[in-house]
Amino acid sequence: GVDPSDASPDEGVVEDLPLIDEKAVEQLTEGLLSHYLPDLQRSKSALQELTQNQVVLLETLEQEISKFKECNSILEIDALFSEAKHYHNKLVNIRNEMMMLHEKTTKLKVSGINI
């Protein structure tokens, strides 16, 4: 006879497995889903809100950057005008000096002719 202890350890395992109860699997799945789904949905809505906030933030940043660019342009224009004013003053001074020199040379010529 065959001694039961000689039997292969794998023998009879298949018969030992209980039949998979599909109803139980369905209920377990529903249980797991009902446990995790609310958290997942909350996470999803939180992520959506975060994404929307990021979009708003990016738009605001772009507006601020364009304002800075405008300010920079205004500053450059302002600097240009003050430089123009500076050179205008220089020209006015040169013209005044030229007129004084002209007057002096005219006086010298006149006094030279009179002598």
Side-chain angles (χ1 to χ4, degrees):
V2 177
D3 189 354
S5 61
D6 292 342
S8 161
D10 293 338
E11 223 174 88
V13 169
V14 175
E15 290 83 21
D16 288 348
L17 280 175
L19 286 171
I20 295 168
D21 186 351
E22 287 184 21
K23 182 89 172 157
V25 171
E26 199 177 302
Q27 284 175 338
L28 279 169
T29 308
E30 280 177 16
L32 276 170
L33 280 175
S34 68
H35 182 72
Y36 288 111
L37 205 58
D39 281 342
L40 287 171
Q41 284 172 333
R42 274 195 293 275
S43 298
K44 184 184 175 186
S45 64
L47 280 171
Q48 283 174 334
E49 192 179 333
L50 191 64
T51 307
Q52 286 170 345
N53 288 345
Q54 282 181 330
V55 168
V56 170
L57 188 64
L58 280 173
E59 287 173 356
T60 310
L61 274 173
E62 281 171 13
Q63 288 171 0
E64 290 301 312
I65 288 169
S66 64
K67 280 183 194 171
F68 275 116
K69 283 181 180 170
E70 283 173 26
C71 283
N72 208 22
S73 301
I74 290 168
L75 284 172
E76 285 171 11
I77 291 168
D78 197 38
L80 199 66
F81 273 114
S82 63
E83 207 175 329
K85 192 189 275 187
H86 172 71
Y87 283 114
H88 174 73
N89 288 340
K90 274 191 165 187
L91 283 171
V92 168
N93 289 340
I94 290 170
R95 193 190 65 173
N96 290 343
E97 282 177 28
M98 295 281 280
M99 286 172 68
M100 278 171 54
L101 283 171
H102 178 70
E103 280 177 30
K104 282 183 179 177
T105 51
T106 308
K107 283 180 183 171
L108 280 173
K109 281 181 187 171
V110 169
S111 61
I113 291 167
N114 286 348
I115 292 168

